[in-house]
Amino acid sequence: MAITKVGLAGLGYIGRKHLVQLRSLGLSVVTADPKLESADAEALGSTRHYADFQQLLVAEQPEAVVICLPTFMHRDSVIMALEHGSHVLVEKPFALCLPDIDDMMATAKKQGRRIMVAHVCRFMGQNIKAHELIDNGSLGCPVHFSAWRMSPTPMWSDKNWLGNASASGGTVMDFQIHDIDLACWLLGEPIEMALIKRQDSSRSGSGFFHAIGCLGFRSGVSASLDTGHLMPAGYPFTSGFRLVFDRGVLQCDMVGFNLTLKQYEDGVMTDLTGWYGDHYAERNPYRDESEHFLKCLESGTDFVVTTLEARQAVEVVLKLREHEILATRPPSDANPCHLLQPGTGS
Ligand SMILES: NC(=O)c1ccc[n+]([C@@H]2O[C@H](COP(=O)([O-])OP(=O)(O)OC[C@H]3O[C@@H](n4cnc5c(N)ncnc54)[C@H](O)[C@@H]3O)[C@@H](O)[C@H]2O)c1
């Protein structure tokens, strides 16, 4: 039977995006967030609003819920929803540690309910094209994947939980995980890892830094993921990737909402930006993600993001941390730029 009503916990940055897209699918969306008055939530598109998520679950008994709460709250809220009989779409990252993930997966099994983790990049046309090129082998075998993702420091989060490394997991867990999941989806299981993290000692404990993650895959392919949460205000959100094959390259560059997608092979460049525009420009990956989640629930088919894959992405973050090189500014008050000029550094 078609699902017509969905619960939504957390109406912050990402919850509001989900609300708009869920409504565009024609669903009734009941919401919970203690920070919003009912009238404000309803103005955003909520059908009925609750201050408390558990109250929502008891009163509405939604068949499916979308969890858009701060990451440190994922475990308890997902388990509560499963125990009230709801299937769950939970925002990435799945959780901050593997025992929390295992608890959620065990509860889902016990309750006969399903969890999908919202790795939205799986629903973006440029990434689907990359996956297709690997599957059909038209450019040969993949050799190296490099991805980049840069944003000004996000300052929107509730009580700045994103800026607190113990609540968000930090830039690699919160932000680079998009590209970690993508790399694993495209290339398989990583077996070697290294991380360079750049953070001033004065910001120790902050969840915001620059990080370069390097992965070596069982297949012999390598990946480098360059991620920054410390770009200055006004810098456009920038992301992209270069997927090098033994007979060509697929490259995507996205600055703000402007995307270019190009394929290079045997001295010929094919501009796929028009293909992207024809197939994806009018679509919204958050909408496609929710639609996929609901269709899979209705039909009993597999999610494109499995819980084991989402668990693997978190596991890779935790292993990267074990192989971290921390680059900091020298502790002296000397201008560190002097160290770049021969003869002036000590
Ligand atoms: N897929 C993406 O592109 C993407 C982007 C941003 C954030 N995220 C993820 O989404 C999650 C939320 O991030 P955000 O940036 O929206 O955070 P946010 O701080 O903007 O929003 C969190 C909301 O949860 C509410 N909240 C807190 N406790 C609550 C409770 N007990 N019941 C109901 N609501 C409660 C807060 O009031 C706030 O409105 C995180 O896991 C984050 O990693 C994903």
Side-chain angles (χ1 to χ4, degrees), residues 57 61-65 78 80-88 113-114:
L57 292 169
Q61 300 187 5
E63 196 168 334
V65 297
V78 167
M80 186 161 75
L82 293 166
E83 286 178 339
H84 279 82
S86 302
H87 301 286
V88 174
R113 290 292 175 269
R114 301 174 66 188

Side-chain angles (χ1 to χ4, degrees), residues 73-115:
M73 298 176 74
H74 284 184
R75 177 198 177 277
D76 290 356
S77 53
V78 167
I79 287 180
M80 186 161 75
L82 293 166
E83 286 178 339
H84 279 82
S86 302
H87 301 286
V88 174
L89 176 65
V90 58
E91 260 304 337
K92 52 45 68 182
F94 204 164
L96 297 173
C97 65
L98 298 180
D100 283 3
I101 292 177
D102 293 340
D103 288 348
M104 290 186 266
M105 288 172 65
T107 308
K109 193 169 175 199
K110 184 168 160 223
Q111 297 297 126
R113 290 292 175 269
R114 301 174 66 188
I115 306 173

Side-chain angles (χ1 to χ4, degrees), residues 234-304:
Y235 189 90
F237 179 88
T238 300
S239 65
F241 66 78
R242 185 182 308 106
L243 178 55
V244 184
F245 294 81
D246 47 19
R247 289 204 307 274
V249 169
L250 179 71
Q251 177 152 343
C252 173
D253 291 280
M254 196 163 164
V255 178
F257 290 105
N258 292 322
L259 177 141
T260 57
L261 186 64
K262 293 181 179 172
Q263 181 177 316
Y264 300 84
E265 186 187 15
D266 291 335
V268 178
M269 187 277 279
T270 310
D271 194 335
L272 297 172
T273 310
W275 167 87
Y276 176 89
D278 291 345
H279 292 86
Y280 287 94
E282 299 301 316
R283 292 168 71 156
N284 182 294
Y286 296 101
R287 179 186 158 107
D288 288 352
E289 176 181 70
S290 292
E291 194 171 31
H292 169 77
F293 169 67
L294 294 168
K295 277 194 173 147
C296 290
L297 291 182
E298 287 160 9
S299 61
T301 47
D302 290 342
F303 298 132
V304 73

Side-chain angles (χ1 to χ4, degrees), residues 8-18 31-36 50-54 67-74 77 90-94 118-121 124 149 156-162 168 173-175 177-178 286 289:
L8 173 60
L11 272 181
Y13 174 79
I14 203 69
R16 293 175 192 213
K17 286 193 193 297
H18 279 289
T31 56
D33 191 319
K35 236 167 86 176
L36 273 87
Y50 297 79
D52 184 77
F53 183 42
Q54 189 165 18
I67 305 276
C68 298
L69 299 174
T71 304
F72 67 93
M73 298 176 74
H74 284 184
S77 53
V90 58
E91 260 304 337
K92 52 45 68 182
F94 204 164
H119 278 292
V120 71
C121 294
M124 295 177 180
R149 187 172 296 275
W156 66 74
S157 68
D158 186 35
K159 303 186 190 81
N160 192 33
W161 70 268
L162 259 177
S168 69
M173 182 67 92
D174 183 74
F175 203 33
I177 199 163
H178 286 295
Y286 296 101
E289 176 181 70

Side-chain angles (χ1 to χ4, degrees), residues 36-51:
L36 273 87
E37 297 296 335
S38 290
D40 297 327
E42 282 159 24
L44 292 170
S46 167
T47 308
R48 250 180 319 283
H49 187 70
Y50 297 79

